[in-house]
Amino acid sequence: MLSRVNPTLLHSVRRWYSSGKATIFGLSSGSGKCGVAVLRVSGEGCREVMMAKTQSVTLPEPRKAVLRRIFHSKTAEMIDKGLMLWFSGPNSFTGEDSVEFHIHGGVAVISAMYDSLGSIDGVRLAEPGEFTKRAFYAGKMDLTEVEGLADLIEAETEAQRKQAMLQANGELSKVYNQLRTRLLKCIASIEAYIDFAEDQDVGDDVFESVRSDVASIIVDAKAHLNDDRRGERLRSGVRTVIIGAPNVGKSSFVNLLSNRKVSIVTNVAGTTRDIIESHHDIGGYPVILADTAGLRTETSDIIEHEGIARAKDYLTEADLVVLVIDASNLQKYLKSSNMRFDGYLDHYVTSLGFKGNTIRDSNCMIIINKVDLLTSESREALNRVESLSFLSCQTGEGLQSVLTKLTENLEHLCGNPSRESPNISQQRYRHHLKACVQYLEKYYAYLSHGPNPDLAIATQYLRNAVRCIGMITGNVDTEEILDVIFRSFCIGK
């Protein structure tokens, strides 16, 4: 793994990666017929490729689009006429000499370009992600920015796009690089204390200062971790389960949101047996909506029983619960028993096979469906109950207010990532940052063991913490600690 690579070896790998490797090409625009396709070439042989393809002996001005005839490198036949952009390294995406051919997006044109480029010695088709890999090895971006770029390409909703854009632009890496820089200064201070305290002006107060700095880093790292996994939820989608008794309108609600027949709707109780997932963009947030079997405590149907069990299992993993209640049944119950809505809710949840506040304690949104069947008196009474949403899947009444309430829940679950507070977007980051905090806490625990702890051992805990952050960003070179020592303490002046 990257964190175990010797810094000298890593430097050699990067040096090898930046010289003597193949020139690569690939289609940077989408596949299929289109008006314009962008074909990128990157590597040491770009100048020769560009001149061979355009039969020109001069390079165009960098970053300036020029119109050129493009020829086949073997047959010298003209393939197309299009725009060409020249990027001189290191001022390019990959850090290498690069050229882009903006050609017509027909299948035959692209195929001829592939055949032509592939026939040139030292030029080959790029592997998946190889352009970005070269950008990483050239130091153009770190691993969080690389993964942010991948998320940006995969983003399907506005909120996902915003989060991915922040990460691709380095806002998340700033958080980790700042933590890393603070830790490097702590290590540098202790190294200076160990090596130069007797000969130079490095006082005992340095050690206490490090203790304070490490405590502050732990607080900041834990605050970053304490985000309720909002970024990861936004990246992968909010798992939302729709539950309720049979025939309350769960499948109708899914179909209404989807504007198509995702689930089968009949007046026969127990129609839905399995989990039916559909993906939605609600208020800019990605939602994985799960239609489930109608819940009831007793059934003689083996298949329905299995469907109910699966619905309850899904509920335990869901981020958001949408509880659907039949307005007509609610109205009958309230009239016959003179009971308040809270009493009915307890009764309803128990009838679904749950105990206590299983549903209430989760992130739950309550929808009263079939409101077109309510009397004006019942509707007025229920309007006094806070946090209820009213809907008629039959007429569409209340759909907009339901979507507004649903969006508010989604915003609470996913947060609103910003430059000042970017979210942790992947489990990988969380894992390594937790490990970092554990090493910092071990540092404190070790120092409290006795009056004369071995500072070299204590410092190793800090080095391990730095390495954990390096696992997130891809930066594992620890030699810069020496630079921090000499710059901060002016040793040898």
Side-chain angles (χ1 to χ4, degrees):
M1 298 177 68
L2 194 58
S3 65
R4 298 175 183 171
V5 177
N6 181 280
T8 303
L9 179 58
L10 180 62
H11 176 72
S12 299
V13 170
R14 286 183 168 173
R15 185 173 58 187
W16 168 83
Y17 218 88
S18 63
S19 64
K21 59 185 181 295
T23 299
I24 57 174
F25 68 91
L27 190 65
S28 292
S29 54
S31 59
K33 291 182 180 180
C34 55
V36 176
V38 179
L39 203 152
R40 175 187 287 162
V41 185
S42 180
E44 284 189 337
C46 264
R47 294 170 184 262
E48 291 74 16
V49 168
M50 184 177 57
M51 292 177 179
K53 296 295 293 177
T54 61
Q55 295 185 358
S56 173
V57 295
T58 59
L59 291 173
E61 184 180 341
R63 301 175 179 274
K64 183 177 180 179
V66 294
L67 184 64
R68 291 285 188 271
R69 289 185 174 86
I70 303 171
F71 300 89
H72 198 290
S73 56
K74 284 194 303 184
T75 65
E77 290 184 87
M78 181 175 163
I79 296 175
D80 196 8
K81 186 178 181 180
L83 294 178
M84 186 182 70
L85 280 161
W86 164 250
F87 301 90
S88 179
N91 300 315
S92 69
F93 174 74
T94 60
E96 308 170 316
D97 286 348
S98 300
V99 62
E100 289 182 359
F101 295 99
H102 294 225
I103 55 179
H104 292 98
V107 175
V109 176
I110 295 172
S111 178
M113 287 291 291
Y114 268 49
D115 180 65
S116 174
L117 289 168
S119 67
I120 302 174
D121 290 339
V123 180
R124 63 168 173 80
L125 183 64
E127 297 175 358
E130 190 169 3
F131 288 105
T132 306
K133 183 188 294 184
R134 293 191 177 197
F136 167 72
Y137 278 113
K140 306 294 286 188
M141 56 177 63
D142 68 12
L143 289 184
T144 63
E145 292 168 321
V146 167
E147 290 167 312
L149 179 60
D151 288 347
L152 184 61
I153 294 171
E154 295 293 329
E156 296 181 345
T157 72
E158 179 63 11
Q160 284 179 319
R161 183 197 65 79
K162 287 181 178 178
Q163 175 169 281
M165 178 61 74
L166 287 171
Q167 185 170 329
N169 284 344
E171 299 304 327
L172 190 59
S173 70
K174 286 180 183 177
V175 174
Y176 302 128
N177 286 332
Q178 287 171 358
L179 290 175
R180 185 172 183 273
T181 299
R182 291 163 67 187
L183 280 173
L184 288 175
K185 288 182 178 179
C186 291
I187 295 173
S189 298
I190 296 179
E191 294 283 2
Y193 182 87
I194 294 172
D195 296 336
F196 305 106
E198 295 182 0
D199 303 323
Q200 302 290 334
D201 186 20
V202 181
D204 293 342
D205 59 328
V206 169
F207 188 60
E208 288 303 319
S209 177
V210 169
R211 289 175 62 91
S212 176
D213 290 342
V214 170
S216 176
I217 293 170
I218 291 175
V219 170
D220 291 344
K222 285 186 174 181
H224 185 57
L225 285 167
N226 188 27
D227 63 348
D228 196 29
R229 301 182 182 273
R230 292 187 179 92
E232 293 155 85
R233 191 179 289 123
L234 176 55
R235 180 175 180 268
S236 59
V238 181
R239 298 177 68 84
T240 303
V241 60
I242 305 174
I243 63 171
N247 279 359
V248 295
K250 301 184 299 299
S251 297
S252 297
F253 178 53
V254 172
N255 291 346
L256 185 62
L257 288 181
S258 306
N259 201 27
R260 62 188 179 90
K261 295 181 179 179
V262 174
S263 301
I264 297 175
V265 176
T266 71
N267 58 2
V268 178
T271 301
T272 302
R273 303 297 182 92
D274 209 346
I275 306 294
I276 301 175
E277 290 187 338
S278 55
H279 294 255
H280 301 262
D281 177 350
I282 299 178
Y285 295 94
V287 179
I288 304 171
L289 204 60
D291 187 14
T292 63
L295 302 179
R296 48 184 170 180
T297 54
E298 296 182 3
T299 178
S300 58
D301 191 313
I302 298 176
I303 299 177
E304 184 183 2
H305 185 273
E306 176 62 22
I308 292 172
R310 292 188 181 189
K312 291 182 177 180
D313 288 342
Y314 196 101
L315 176 65
T316 62
E317 302 295 330
D319 301 308
L320 177 63
V321 177
V322 176
L323 179 65
V324 183
I325 297 175
D326 187 322
S328 58
N329 291 337
L330 170 60
Q331 181 173 246
K332 291 176 184 177
Y333 189 90
L334 295 178
K335 283 185 177 180
S336 63
S337 62
N338 291 322
M339 187 176 289
R340 296 170 61 86
F341 176 78
D342 285 348
Y344 174 79
L345 183 59
D346 291 337
H347 165 78
Y348 183 64
V349 169
T350 301
S351 72
L352 300 182
F354 296 106
K355 296 180 180 179
N357 292 328
T358 304
I359 294 179
R360 282 183 163 185
D361 290 343
S362 60
N363 292 309
C364 183
M365 175 179 172
I366 301 175
I367 295 179
I368 309 299
N369 186 34
K370 306 180 185 180
V371 293
D372 51 305
L373 302 180
L374 288 177
T375 63
S376 57
E377 182 182 358
S378 297
R379 182 67 177 270
E380 184 179 350
L382 288 172
N383 278 334
R384 301 192 191 101
V385 181
E386 294 183 2
S387 73
L388 294 183
S389 297
F390 300 94
L391 176 68
S392 171
C393 291
Q394 182 71 28
T395 66
E397 177 190 351
L399 177 60
Q400 191 55 52
S401 63
V402 167
L403 289 174
T404 299
K405 184 67 176 179
L406 187 55
T407 301
E408 291 173 359
N409 280 277
L410 295 173
E411 184 175 358
H412 171 72
L413 289 168
C414 296
N416 187 19
S418 64
R419 294 182 185 277
E420 295 75 23
S421 182
N423 288 333
I424 298 174
S425 61
Q426 298 205 31
Q427 175 61 28
R428 185 177 77 81
Y429 307 160
R430 189 176 302 278
H431 169 77
H432 291 306
L433 193 56
K434 282 184 176 180
C436 171
V437 171
Q438 289 171 357
Y439 278 120
L440 295 179
E441 291 175 338
K442 287 179 180 179
Y443 166 82
Y444 263 99
Y446 178 75
L447 291 182
S448 64
H449 281 168
N452 297 307
D454 188 327
L455 296 185
I457 295 176
T459 306
Q460 187 58 42
Y461 287 123
L462 299 184
R463 291 183 182 276
N464 289 339
V466 170
R467 186 171 290 107
C468 289
I469 296 179
M471 286 289 291
I472 298 176
T473 62
N475 191 340
V476 295
D477 188 357
T478 58
E479 291 184 357
E480 58 195 278
I481 293 173
L482 295 176
D483 294 333
V484 176
I485 290 176
F486 289 101
R487 184 171 63 250
S488 300
F489 295 96
C490 301
I491 302 300
K493 69 175 183 180

